[in-house]
Amino acid sequence: MNLRNVAIIAHVDHGKTTLVDQLFRQSGTFRDNQRVEERAMDSNDLEKERGITILAKPTSVEWEGTRINIVDTPGHADFGGEVERILSMVDGVILLVDSSEGAMPQTKFVTGKALKLGLRPIVVVNKVDRPDERIQEVLDEVFDLFVSLDATDEQLDFPVLYASGRNGYANEDPSLREGTLRPLFQKIVDHVPPPSLEVDAPFTFLVTLLDRDNFLGRILTGRVQSGTVKVNQPIHALDMAGNVIETGRASKIMTFQGLDRVPTDEASAGDIISIAGLTVATVSNTIADTTVTEAIQAQPIDPPTLSMRFAVNDSPMAGREGSKVTSRMIRDRLEREAESNVAIKVTESEDKDSFEVAGRGELQLGVLIETMRREGFELGISRPRVLFRQDENGNKTEPYETVVIDVDDEHSGTVVDKMNQRKGEMTDMRPSGGGKTRITFSAPSRGLIGYHGEFLSDTRGTGIMNRLFEKYGPHKGNIEGRKNGVLISNGNGEAQSYALGPLEDRGILFVGHGEALYEGMIIGENAKTEDLEVNPMKAKQLTNFRASGGKDDAVRLTPPKKMTLEQAIAYIDDDEMVEVTPKKIRLRKRHLDPHERKKASRAKVAA
């Protein structure tokens, strides 16, 4: 059978997963009457809830005698590590671009990686039925992007299709608004070369994805680089240096068919498969015939730029809501994550009670924390901090990001002012149509931590911000953080409406009546710059005197501000933590005792 391996790459929300749904339907992978969920490839709970792809996943469709292996990739820059690995499995890429938004930062990041590997792209302008489409300008942007990424003449001569993934059509004529995806299938077969690999050589296979199964154990996914593998064939795993780390048998070989893994007896060069039977081999290892001694070189992965401290939960409420609370359980879980996710690095602290977890961004680490929380873990999380480096002259450098912001014209002045305060430099500003402006900044990552919530407030929820790691540049000095102080509970107990009512005048509350509190827990934001210790547990003294004039009416409280996990992580200051349990997200001071806090602040000033 003919074989084609292709990856679909695009920015968040440009319609990759929806397009794959239609490819399934029109290739006959699903029966006509089969009930299938929307965005079938987003199988993980968090992916369904957030509407974004987090994990790269291979699938396969058959079309007129050709087997097309498709890899659906994440569109968010924080999950770029997933994309970098899987590009070595494919021979071509479909670059999907929104007909209105055009080429965005993530498009640039992944396309650059694909062009460096010599892959020839097929450009699909998606959502052509949008009322604000600007197809020709978007195509010009894509061409300029390819030129800026040093594309070859062959890569610049890319075919273009105009599609609507949701409505299931693609055409070479931009004015057509009907049809099927047949032109896209045909273009993949004609334009993407079949794998040119040695079938007669010994079997080799580079692991790019790692999964676990309760029955089969460790499942390793990747592309067969050479030779053929059969069930129960003796194999061994090599690390990057060519050292044998494990020997075993290929107990099960599976290929992809639609959404399912299907067992097969053998697979040959070019096929994307999963192998079970090894217990130690991991991502970027080479699985090969026992005669092979040389490892396949894996693609280098960009290093992490941000880190957080994951600590054992030591609050007075520890152990009440979660089942996994010890440092050993947290260590094992983080080590498993670092094994399958090459963009994450885990280091244990000297006290053995906390772990420094480094990753690509707040969203990536936020998704990890949310996943652990749902598994029953309790954690104490510190404020994110950027990873500094030294250049060749010994000067301190820090990570910078390219920030592309789309806002209504009326809010552009506020956004520019706020970005200047955070040491961002404007590199481009242009109208993007429909009363909107697109502004591009180069800004230190340190200044962007915690800005997203403020940005949404400033733009009345209409602004869109996209960020992408750009470079390590000179250190920008002190950047002002959160301006407001916090309200801190001075004791343990339950919050009372009688006490919370007067505190509403002090600022914004994060807790409501009846919530369990403890000393050192943050219950709200102070309207002033300093922290304030308050008593939110004071109840009304009950007497047998009746108040005159109905003054004893029930206190009416404004609903408290409830933060999501990402908002809480971005909100806290250096001396604060987020307590994460399966049921609650609480903010607290690192030192719960007020005397310890004073000592720590004096030590900080002295330093």
Side-chain angles (χ1 to χ4, degrees), residues 141 402-405 416 425-431 437-442:
E141 283 175 22
T402 300
V403 187
V404 177
I405 292 175
V416 171
E425 290 178 16
M426 192 198 301
T427 55
D428 189 28
M429 185 172 183
R430 62 176 75 170
T437 304
R438 176 168 291 182
I439 318 168
T440 309
F441 296 91
S442 173

Side-chain angles (χ1 to χ4, degrees), residues 92-368:
V93 292
I94 297 171
L95 173 61
L96 207 64
V97 191
D98 187 294
S99 66
S100 170
E101 291 183 10
M104 299 293 275
Q106 176 66 6
T107 320
K108 178 179 179 180
F109 168 75
V110 189
T111 309
K113 300 275 180 194
L115 295 177
K116 265 187 199 155
L117 290 170
L119 302 174
R120 290 176 60 203
I122 298 169
V123 174
V124 176
V125 180
N126 196 25
K127 305 187 185 180
V128 290
D129 49 348
R130 281 183 67 152
D132 56 347
E133 55 85 5
R134 43 185 199 98
I135 294 171
Q136 200 49 53
E137 292 100 309
V138 165
L139 269 180
D140 292 344
E141 283 175 22
V142 172
F143 189 82
D144 293 345
L145 173 67
F146 283 16
V147 171
S148 70
L149 293 170
D150 299 327
T152 62
D153 291 347
E154 193 180 28
Q155 288 169 330
L156 286 171
D157 188 20
F158 53 83
V160 182
L161 290 171
Y162 307 92
S164 168
R166 181 184 289 170
N167 297 319
Y169 60 78
N171 300 296
E172 295 192 4
D173 181 349
S175 60
L176 290 178
R177 295 287 179 272
E178 59 185 10
T180 66
L181 290 175
R182 185 183 176 83
L184 178 57
F185 282 118
Q186 194 62 54
K187 197 63 78 179
I188 292 171
V189 173
D190 295 344
H191 189 74
V192 177
S196 54
L197 301 166
E198 298 175 50
V199 181
D200 302 326
F203 164 66
T204 58
F205 166 95
L206 181 68
V207 182
T208 47
L209 299 170
L210 174 69
D211 202 0
R212 273 184 177 73
D213 185 277
N214 292 338
F215 302 103
L216 299 172
R218 189 171 285 227
I219 296 177
L220 308 164
T221 301
R223 180 167 76 159
V224 182
Q225 297 288 4
S226 66
T228 303
V229 62
K230 297 181 178 175
V231 173
N232 283 329
Q233 177 178 326
I235 51 175
H236 64 192
L238 307 170
D239 63 13
M240 302 274 274
N243 303 315
V244 177
I245 51 175
E246 169 178 27
T247 305
R249 289 180 180 275
S251 61
K252 195 140 194 167
I253 301 168
M254 292 164 285
T255 58
F256 292 89
Q257 198 172 316
L259 299 175
D260 305 316
R261 284 196 181 105
V262 182
T264 184
D265 292 332
E266 67 174 285
S268 4
D271 240 341
I272 293 176
I273 62 165
S274 296
I275 291 181
L278 297 176
T279 56
V280 180
T282 184
V283 172
S284 77
N285 287 162
T286 301
I287 312 298
D289 190 86
T290 48
T291 58
V292 176
T293 55
E294 201 171 312
I296 302 166
Q297 286 310 301
Q299 284 296 313
I301 300 291
D302 289 349
T305 57
L306 194 79
S307 84
M308 284 183 200
R309 197 167 69 92
F310 284 45
V312 172
N313 184 16
D314 61 354
S315 88
M317 294 187 191
R320 293 188 193 178
E321 295 165 354
S323 56
K324 297 170 183 167
V325 295
T326 64
S327 60
R328 181 183 58 78
M329 287 174 160
I330 295 169
R331 181 198 302 112
D332 292 348
R333 177 65 181 82
L334 291 174
E335 283 174 356
R336 278 209 321 271
E337 185 68 29
E339 206 174 63
S340 61
N341 188 341
V342 288
I344 278 182
K345 299 277 179 289
V346 179
T347 48
E348 193 168 5
S349 67
E350 290 176 12
D351 61 8
K352 305 287 183 188
D353 267 357
S354 65
F355 305 87
E356 200 72 28
V357 182
R360 289 282 177 82
E362 291 157 81
L363 180 62
Q364 184 194 26
L365 294 174
V367 164
L368 170 59

